[in-house]
Amino acid sequence: MKAKNIMNTTPLTIHADATFQQLVAIFSEQQIDGVCVVEGENKLVGVITLFELFGAFLPGYVGIKEELAHLIHESYFEQKCKELKHQPVRSLMRTEVITIKEEENLIGVMADISRFRLMVVPVVRGRTLVGTIARKGLLAYTGKVLLENNTQSKE
Amino acid sequence: MDPFWTGTLIFLISYAVIVSEKVHKTKVALIGASAMLLLKILDQKEAFHSEELGIDYNVIFLLIGMMIIIGIMKKTGVFQYVAVKSAKVAKGDPFRIMVIFSIVTAIASAFLDNVTTVLLLAPVTLLIADELDIDPIPFLITEVLASNIGGTATLIGDPPNIMIASKAKLTFMDFIVHLTPVIVIIMAVYLYTIKLIFGKKMRVKEELKRRVMEMNENEMIKDPVLLKKSLVILALTILGFVIHGYLHFEPATIALSGAALLFLISGEDPHETFLEVEWPTIFFFMGLFIIVGGVVKVGLIEKMSQMMIDLTGPTETSMFATSMVMLWFSAIASAIVDNIPFVATMNPLVLDMANTVFHAGGSTSHALPPETLHNAVLMPVWWALALGACLGGNGSAIGASANVIVVGMAERAGKPISFLKFMAYGFPIMLETLVVSMIYIWVRYYLLA
């Protein structure tokens, strides 16, 4: 099985200039945990997931010593929400993105997801986004194959 | 090519590339060491086994032992606990926090390496400054300056001291008796200076102070059992350092024994703990020892020592000018070059000079008798080298490894410290601490002697 057979060819994307507030709205309304960031004619420029979204709240020193986050005062969250509200997705997204080609086999995709803890894997042709494979999509496909196996066994 | 020029060229090129920072210093040291061996300036037996020309394993194993102990200990969260507790003792007042953090950093740096100390305390500093809504840069700079000052106080506080102690066969207590008093004076002067600079500038609202007072430092302690075990072992190791001279053990034996004991009782996985050892630093030392061994063998160090003798005129009865030149030269050099290669070069130079002055060059420099190494006339030169090399690190943002770490952390936290900003604080403080050191050496070893 190849990536092109199971990828979502009309994936949800977000523009690099969209705001943090718009990003949060998409994530919560669509119940997704990762989205590809594009510019122009579907040119992939980054990926943003819940990890980057929550990470945007954290002060730099937490990256050095994460336990310190437990000592930050309570109103910090609201204060940070105000700061982040109009920030463009471009400044928060991950730009070093692991991408795959349409011909990639399924196990290769699973290996990348497991190893790099990916939420969504962009499928590209050159720098153009042609589809995505999300964890949930892969899980649904796995379920479908298992179900077909059961049916074949009964027959 | 003549071995003298080959060895000298390898040495000079290695130094130049280390200073340029274009290539990682460990790679440079290993390439330089390999060149010394491949071009037969030194043979492998000399590089690995000779006390005069080879790797100083006393330094290597002392560093590794301490890195293991600290590597295990830092997992407990004790350093963050102490930092938060200190901020609360200061009642959230920014200037008091600055003073207490400087003192805590200096004391911690006297027993742990400076890089580890600032690596552990700087993130807490950033948190506290953020909570107080105040610029963290003055806090970070004053801490790292205090770290370099505090590290000078003991044998194990800073690598130059470890290297000097090993070559000069000085004990932990020698450093306590000769260097700790001047460091206490320097710290007092330093704290007074930061009071003049920052004392009146730092005011924050009471509600912000309350944020600090509401922090729960106990949340920082991750493993109380491991904490107790590692504190006991650290205390025993420090006790071991205090009495190693009486027991006739080298400091490396004490550090390795402490590390081995902590490994045993902590149940920590060696694979994981060894990741905490700064291997690039260890191999940097190894490479440097071989490079310097090469230039000792070809006679460059002897020539440099002769120049020092011609310039400062040391005699069997006084080395005053030598001490003063050594202090200032070491400081200026250490502000520009890493102080580790500098001291690695100066150690054999001092030994050669002592051999010329006390034995007319008749003895072997690496096997000078203790009465020569610890001669009251020579001792101020060793202390001048230690004070100059360690305190000189404050002169610039690249003068000491701890400075580089803090500048990097500040940048990562979105509060960059420019080279000139660091120097605006660091260089005058370096000059101030050197003037105090100069007066101390003059009064203690010449005026009162």
Side-chain angles (χ1 to χ4, degrees):
Chain A
M1 186 57 68
K2 292 189 188 306
K4 64 181 177 190
N5 304 118
I6 61 158
M7 70 184 186
N8 176 1
T9 51
T10 53
L12 202 63
T13 57
I14 191 164
H15 195 274
D17 293 329
T19 64
F20 185 76
Q21 188 173 19
Q22 289 167 326
L23 177 75
V24 173
I26 290 180
F27 272 38
S28 54
E29 282 162 19
Q30 305 294 326
Q31 300 211 327
I32 52 171
D33 36 31
V35 66
C36 292
V37 185
V38 293
E39 270 181 349
E41 294 288 309
N42 248 12
K43 188 181 126 199
L44 180 74
V45 290
V47 160
I48 191 154
T49 69
L50 283 179
F51 293 131
E52 282 76 40
L53 193 150
F54 293 143
F57 282 85
L58 307 179
Y61 55 83
V62 172
I64 306 165
K65 193 77 193 164
E66 56 196 48
E67 288 90 342
L68 295 177
H70 301 285
L71 298 179
I72 298 172
H73 64 276
E74 277 175 23
S75 58
Y76 177 87
F77 173 74
E78 285 76 15
Q79 185 187 318
K80 197 72 190 176
C81 273
K82 272 188 213 158
E83 267 177 47
L84 287 171
K85 192 171 175 179
H86 299 296
Q87 265 204 35
V89 167
R90 183 191 303 283
S91 65
L92 310 167
M93 68 188 185
R94 187 149 33 91
T95 50
E96 283 175 15
V97 183
I98 291 164
T99 59
I100 55 166
K101 299 213 163 57
E102 292 157 274
E103 297 304 314
E104 180 71 65
N105 76 45
L106 203 55
I107 293 297
V109 179
M110 284 178 161
D112 284 345
I113 290 179
S114 302
R115 186 170 165 212
F116 301 109
R117 302 280 182 265
L118 304 176
M119 292 288 196
V120 59
V121 187
V123 185
V124 293
R125 199 178 300 144
R127 294 178 68 185
T128 307
L129 183 75
V130 292
T132 59
I133 298 177
R135 288 181 184 195
K136 284 173 190 166
L138 202 51
L139 188 67
Y141 178 74
T142 311
K144 193 178 142 199
V145 173
L146 289 171
L147 208 62
E148 280 169 7
N149 280 350
N150 285 347
T151 320
Q152 281 166 6
S153 314
K154 279 179 193 168
E155 282 166 6
Chain B
M1 200 196 283
D2 181 54
F4 175 83
W5 288 111
T6 312
T8 303
L9 262 180
I10 297 171
F11 173 78
L12 291 177
I13 293 171
S14 306
Y15 244 74
V17 182
I18 290 172
V19 173
S20 77
E21 296 187 338
K22 297 275 184 228
V23 183
H24 192 286
K25 60 184 184 181
T26 305
K27 291 184 190 174
V28 182
L30 290 177
I31 290 286
S34 306
M36 286 287 185
L37 290 168
L38 290 170
L39 297 172
K40 297 191 186 305
I41 302 298
L42 283 184
D43 62 42
Q44 190 174 298
K45 195 173 175 197
E46 287 167 324
F48 292 176
H49 302 292
S50 155
E51 200 183 329
E52 183 195 10
L53 305 171
I55 298 166
D56 188 339
Y57 290 103
N58 194 28
V59 172
I60 300 296
F61 284 106
L62 175 52
L63 286 168
I64 293 176
M66 289 310 286
M67 284 174 183
I68 292 172
I69 296 174
I70 306 307
I72 294 177
M73 201 168 169
K74 72 181 184 189
K75 287 165 72 179
T76 64
V78 63
F79 300 103
Q80 287 75 27
Y81 171 90
V82 171
V84 175
K85 187 82 184 165
S86 305
K88 288 173 79 170
V89 168
K91 303 207 181 311
D93 178 74
F95 180 66
R96 271 192 237 149
I97 291 177
M98 183 182 269
V99 170
I100 295 181
F101 272 26
S102 293
I103 294 171
V104 168
T105 311
I107 294 172
S109 296
F111 297 101
L112 321 176
D113 77 279
N114 300 353
V115 169
T116 308
T117 307
V118 297
L119 210 56
L120 295 167
L121 293 179
V124 188
T125 308
L126 288 163
L127 163 78
I128 304 264
D130 231 20
E131 293 294 285
L132 290 173
D133 204 9
I134 196 167
D135 182 10
I137 292 178
F139 289 85
L140 292 173
I141 294 180
T142 49
E143 264 168 54
V144 76
L145 298 181
S147 170
N148 292 325
I149 294 172
T152 317
T154 71
L155 187 157
I156 54 168
D158 213 353
N161 287 3
I162 298 176
M163 297 161 84
I164 292 167
S166 183
K167 281 288 178 207
K169 310 247 182 292
L170 295 166
T171 66
F172 188 84
M173 284 312 289
D174 287 329
F175 281 79
I176 296 288
V177 170
H178 292 272
L179 287 190
T180 307
V182 64
I183 294 304
V184 172
I185 300 167
I186 286 175
M187 265 312 281
V189 174
Y190 172 66
L191 293 175
Y192 183 69
T193 310
I194 63 174
K195 183 177 191 272
L196 294 179
I197 303 172
F198 301 110
K200 288 182 181 159
K201 283 186 195 163
M202 295 185 162
R203 296 270 182 270
V204 295
K205 290 181 193 152
E206 285 304 313
E207 64 174 274
L208 297 179
K209 289 184 190 174
R210 267 202 298 280
R211 282 185 187 168
V212 173
M213 297 310 286
E214 281 166 8
M215 286 180 181
N216 181 5
E217 64 275 19
N218 295 323
E219 283 189 45
M220 294 293 99
I221 299 292
K222 294 291 157 208
D223 191 338
V225 178
L226 183 62
L227 173 61
K228 279 180 200 148
K229 287 176 181 172
S230 41
L231 281 178
V232 168
I233 296 297
L234 182 68
L236 281 175
T237 309
I238 291 173
L239 178 69
F241 284 131
V242 171
I243 57 173
H244 81 97
Y246 306 106
L247 301 176
H248 303 291
F249 287 128
E250 292 285 350
T253 306
I254 306 292
L256 264 188
S257 308
L261 203 56
L262 187 55
F263 253 141
L264 186 71
I265 64 168
S266 69
E268 290 293 304
D269 175 22
H271 287 102
E272 214 177 284
T273 308
F274 273 115
L275 293 176
E276 298 292 333
V277 174
E278 274 286 322
W279 294 111
T281 305
I282 300 295
F283 279 92
F284 176 55
F285 272 95
M286 289 187 179
L288 271 177
F289 283 132
I290 297 175
I291 294 174
V292 173
V295 286
V296 169
K297 191 177 173 190
V298 300
L300 176 68
I301 299 293
E302 200 182 325
K303 282 196 181 352
M304 286 164 67
S305 148
Q306 195 53 51
M307 280 166 69
M308 185 73 145
I309 292 172
D310 294 342
L311 179 72
T312 62
T315 65
E316 275 180 70
T317 51
S318 175
M319 293 193 179
F320 178 70
T322 313
S323 312
M324 292 300 133
V325 169
M326 183 65 83
L327 177 74
W328 285 93
F329 179 59
S330 305
I332 303 292
S334 296
I336 306 164
V337 195
D338 195 321
N339 56 14
I340 294 167
F342 176 75
V343 174
T345 315
M346 294 310 278
N347 268 339
L349 188 150
V350 176
L351 291 176
D352 193 87
M353 194 182 70
N355 186 22
T356 309
V357 173
F358 294 107
H359 301 279
S363 184
T364 36
S365 303
H366 71 284
L368 293 174
E371 54 272 23
T372 304
L373 286 174
H374 303 161
N375 189 304
V377 176
L378 183 65
M379 288 293 266
V381 179
W382 289 124
W383 304 131
L385 174 59
L387 286 164
C390 296
L391 298 173
N394 276 338
S396 79
I398 53 159
S401 311
N403 307 0
V404 179
I405 296 287
V406 161
V407 169
M409 267 193 177
E411 194 170 351
R412 209 170 138 193
K415 314 273 181 192
I417 303 173
S418 70
F419 190 84
L420 286 177
K421 178 141 195 164
F422 188 96
M423 218 162 167
Y425 292 102
F427 197 75
I429 294 290
M430 179 194 89
L431 292 180
E432 181 187 71
T433 56
L434 284 176
V435 169
V436 177
S437 304
M438 198 171 74
I439 296 170
Y440 173 80
I441 290 176
W442 174 62
V443 171
R444 178 159 179 181
Y445 302 105
Y446 297 98
L447 195 66
L448 301 178

